[in-house]
Amino acid sequence: MRGDSRSSEPKVGGSSLSVKLATTYAILVAATLLVVAGLAIHLTRRHLDAALDSQIVTTVESFQRGPARSIEEPDDLRTAARGWLATQAFPQGQVVAVRLAGDEVLESAGGLELRPLPNADELLVSAESRWWQLSGAEGSVRAISVPLRLGDRQIGTLAVGASREPLTETLSTLLTGIGWASAVGLAFATVLGLAAVRRTLRPLARMSAEIETIEQTRSLSRRLAHEGPQDEVGRLADAFNRMLGRLDESFNTQKRFLADASHELRTPLTVVRGQLELLSEEFA
């Protein structure tokens, strides 16, 4: 019986205290992992978006440093743009288009197509430099439009777009990896936390078993055994032992008082009983 009670754990509200503490610990770890995962995804997305924008800007600067400087007449734009588009190796998923006079458009070969995208015509006739966020059948596209000017006259438009699908796939892969790693880490942390909590609460479980034994045997002379450090559990054991000592002393005092009172009252009661017996004989 006592061995079974020693193996029990402290109960709070009908459930194990160690399980409640481990559950709270797991919730805190899960919340921390969610915050870390959210920050990691946010920072990675910002970094990838910045890298994509930098890639697009690099293409624009390449055109401005090359063909744009050699244009002296509006008709020179067609020759310069065609030669530049034919010799450049653009990154995968990027499209470059140059709108000429008469709405003629020269576009880089292969990869992403600009014309099927919504607002593509508006982008190609833009009179100001601006960023665009387009969505088409191939997914989201990040683009920029740069007007090409000769003096005060706009002779065309340079448009550079890049698909955001590789970024989305990278973020999806990262999110999946973080999800699996977080799940494994949470399970591992929960198991370790439960083991640590149970080890920490072991003295309380032992004290609970000893208290139950004292209650069952009604032996107030027994004391809780605690050989650990004088932490909260140690101070609780000492306080409980002091309380048991005071209760034991109080009950012993009551027993002595009752014994003395019984002894003192025994002779008078005997006399009274004898007198009552004599009276009963006289009246009989």
Side-chain angles (χ1 to χ4, degrees):
M1 175 72 72
R2 184 171 178 177
D4 294 340
S5 63
R6 279 182 179 271
S7 62
S8 64
E9 296 179 356
K11 304 285 184 177
V12 176
S15 62
S16 173
L17 178 59
S18 62
V19 173
K20 284 197 169 186
L21 291 176
T23 302
T24 302
Y25 173 74
I27 292 174
L28 293 176
V29 172
T32 302
L33 290 175
L34 285 176
V35 172
V36 172
L39 286 175
I41 294 297
H42 175 69
L43 293 176
T44 302
R45 180 183 287 110
R46 288 187 58 183
H47 173 74
L48 293 176
D49 286 340
L52 184 64
D53 289 352
S54 177
Q55 184 185 90
I56 295 174
V57 170
T58 298
T59 301
V60 173
E61 291 176 347
S62 174
F63 183 87
Q64 290 175 335
R65 289 194 303 265
R69 291 186 176 182
S70 63
I71 297 174
E72 297 180 356
E73 298 291 337
D75 293 338
D76 295 341
L77 178 59
R78 177 183 291 101
T79 304
R82 183 178 287 114
W84 181 76
L85 290 172
T87 58
Q88 294 296 312
F90 300 108
Q92 183 68 26
Q94 188 179 99
V95 60
V96 180
V98 179
R99 182 186 64 83
L100 307 175
D103 292 334
E104 179 183 358
V105 178
L106 301 178
E107 191 171 324
S108 59
L112 183 68
E113 293 185 3
L114 187 63
R115 279 305 184 97
L117 295 175
N119 300 323
D121 293 337
E122 183 180 353
L123 181 150
L124 290 171
V125 298
S126 176
E128 61 178 352
S129 297
R130 56 168 293 191
W131 288 96
W132 300 74
Q133 195 69 37
L134 309 176
S135 296
E138 298 183 4
S140 178
V141 175
R142 179 72 163 167
I144 190 173
S145 60
V146 179
L148 302 176
R149 300 182 183 279
L150 185 62
D152 296 333
R153 176 186 175 189
Q154 181 176 350
I155 60 175
T157 305
L158 172 65
V160 181
S163 173
R164 297 189 75 256
E165 288 307 300
L167 277 67
T168 303
E169 293 176 1
T170 300
L171 289 174
S172 178
T173 302
L174 177 62
L175 183 60
T176 301
I178 291 177
W180 279 106
S182 298
V184 173
L186 178 60
F188 186 67
T190 302
V191 171
L192 289 182
L194 181 59
V197 168
R198 283 183 172 175
R199 182 174 181 179
T200 303
L201 294 180
R202 194 174 299 164
L204 285 178
R206 184 173 59 252
M207 289 171 54
S208 177
E210 293 178 355
I211 291 172
E212 289 178 2
T213 302
I214 293 173
E215 181 183 8
Q216 293 170 2
T217 60
R218 298 187 178 183
S219 177
L220 296 179
S221 61
R222 300 188 58 172
R223 297 293 182 267
L224 299 180
H226 181 72
E227 299 177 354
Q230 283 300 108
D231 52 8
E232 288 81 356
V233 177
R235 292 194 293 271
L236 176 62
D238 291 341
F240 192 82
N241 285 335
R242 289 194 298 269
M243 183 183 68
L244 286 177
R246 288 194 295 269
L247 288 174
D248 189 26
E249 182 180 356
S250 176
F251 287 153
N252 288 333
T253 301
Q254 290 181 4
K255 288 180 180 179
R256 288 193 299 269
F257 172 77
L258 291 175
D260 294 341
S262 176
H263 178 73
E264 294 294 333
L265 292 174
R266 186 175 300 167
T267 300
L269 289 175
T270 302
V271 174
V272 171
R273 181 179 179 182
Q275 294 295 330
L276 290 174
E277 289 177 352
L278 288 175
L279 289 174
S280 62
E281 291 178 357
E282 292 179 358
F283 287 103

